[in-house]
Amino acid sequence: MSAIRKKHSAKFKAQIALEAYKGDKTAAELISAYKVSSGQISTWKKQLVDGATQLFELKPAKTVDEATLTSPLYEEIGRLKVELDWLKKKVS
């Protein structure tokens, strides 16, 4: 019978990785406390260290093309005007 794989949340992984990085507890203490293998803890710790630089990188702001925003709105306005004119003709 195969073992069931556990799926851990990102919050759980981050918590363990931070504890491993701080070094307050030994690896054996973390393993026994959270029932996670040492290889998994070291992998999460490495991902934390590698991904930490991405938090502080400047990302260019997304520029929004004004034409892509306004063209659907103008199409909607045109369609609504045509419908309104049609309704006015039907009423009178």
Side-chain angles (χ1 to χ4, degrees):
M1 194 176 230
S2 63
I4 298 173
R5 293 183 70 171
K6 293 182 183 177
K7 292 188 178 187
H8 302 288
S9 67
K11 184 177 180 181
F12 179 77
K13 293 175 186 179
Q15 178 185 1
I16 294 175
L18 280 173
E19 287 186 29
Y21 183 75
K22 287 180 187 176
D24 294 339
K25 294 182 180 179
T26 64
E29 290 173 338
L30 291 173
I31 292 167
S32 64
Y34 296 109
K35 307 292 188 247
V36 178
S37 70
S38 62
Q40 193 64 62
I41 292 174
S42 63
T43 301
W44 292 340
K45 181 180 170 184
K46 185 177 183 313
Q47 288 175 350
L48 173 73
V49 173
D50 293 344
T53 57
Q54 293 176 355
L55 294 173
F56 300 104
E57 288 179 356
L58 294 176
K59 296 179 183 175
K62 291 185 178 179
T63 57
V64 179
D65 186 22
E66 198 171 310
T68 59
L69 290 177
T70 56
S71 65
L73 295 174
Y74 284 125
E75 289 173 13
E76 180 78 15
I77 290 170
R79 188 169 7 95
L80 291 173
K81 279 181 116 178
V82 169
E83 289 176 11
L84 183 62
D85 291 341
W86 183 80
L87 286 172
K88 284 181 182 177
K89 288 179 185 176
K90 281 295 212 184
V91 171
S92 51

